Amino acid sequence: MDLLDFFRGEFPWAKLARFLRQLPPGSRYQAAIDADFDIAEYTYARQQLDADGDGRDEGESGPQVSTSAGYDLSVQTLMTIADLIQQLQATLVAVNLPEGKAPPKPRFLPRPVTALDVVRARHAVDEEVDQVGDALSAFGF
């Protein structure tokens, strides 16, 4: 595969975009993206649109798919250790807080989300909506 293949039309441009998204975070490409002010301005504007509710579909909620590439046993073990350290820290703070103050909640590291997890979450929401509808109809609403 050569970049000229994309200009010649042998490969679709979407394939190049997918290839670039798969490069690791520590790559020179990602470092160049992180240092580019034009991309930073675009990303910031996009995040502002998303925060205002103009750039995202209203029906989109729940977990989003994230890749499990590179999520092997060693990474899983390190993430578990980090989560346990955060839990220990929250426990130590909670023990030493004055009466009546709420202890901080630990923020665990996010794990990869598979497409199956997203489908399960969607179906769980659909089942809850059906149960609420059944309860409302039972009471005559």
Side-chain angles (χ1 to χ4, degrees), residues 80-96:
T80 302
I81 291 170
D83 289 345
L84 291 173
I85 290 172
Q86 287 184 14
Q87 188 173 8
L88 177 62
Q89 181 182 11
T91 302
L92 290 174
V93 170
V95 167
N96 294 309

Side-chain angles (χ1 to χ4, degrees), residues 1 6 10-22:
M1 178 169 53
F6 294 100
E10 294 178 26
F11 294 117
W13 286 102
K15 181 174 183 168
L16 179 62
R18 285 190 304 271
F19 176 76
L20 293 175
R21 276 194 305 269
Q22 292 175 359

Side-chain angles (χ1 to χ4, degrees), residues 63-68 71 111-121:
Q64 301 298 313
V65 175
S66 63
T67 181
S68 61
Y71 186 74
R111 302 303 198 263
V113 178
T114 64
L116 180 60
D117 296 332
V118 173
V119 169
R120 283 182 181 149

Side-chain angles (χ1 to χ4, degrees), residues 33-134:
I33 293 295
D34 292 341
D36 191 327
F37 283 99
D38 292 334
I39 293 174
E41 289 289 337
Y42 173 79
T43 304
Y44 179 77
R46 184 65 189 192
Q47 288 173 348
Q48 291 302 107
L49 279 175
D50 289 344
D52 294 340
D54 299 330
R56 183 171 297 213
D57 183 16
E58 290 297 323
E60 185 178 326
S61 64
Q64 301 298 313
V65 175
S66 63
T67 181
S68 61
Y71 186 74
D72 57 2
L73 184 59
S74 61
V75 172
Q76 182 180 2
T77 304
L78 289 172
M79 290 177 79
T80 302
I81 291 170
D83 289 345
L84 291 173
I85 290 172
Q86 287 184 14
Q87 188 173 8
L88 177 62
Q89 181 182 11
T91 302
L92 290 174
V93 170
V95 167
N96 294 309
L97 279 177
E99 284 283 323
K101 281 197 116 181
K105 293 184 179 179
R107 290 178 290 159
F108 298 118
L109 298 173
R111 302 303 198 263
V113 178
T114 64
L116 180 60
D117 296 332
V118 173
V119 169
R120 283 182 181 149
R122 285 183 189 159
H123 285 286
V125 168
D126 291 342
E127 289 174 11
E128 289 175 8
V129 168
D130 291 342
Q131 290 174 355
V132 169
D134 293 342

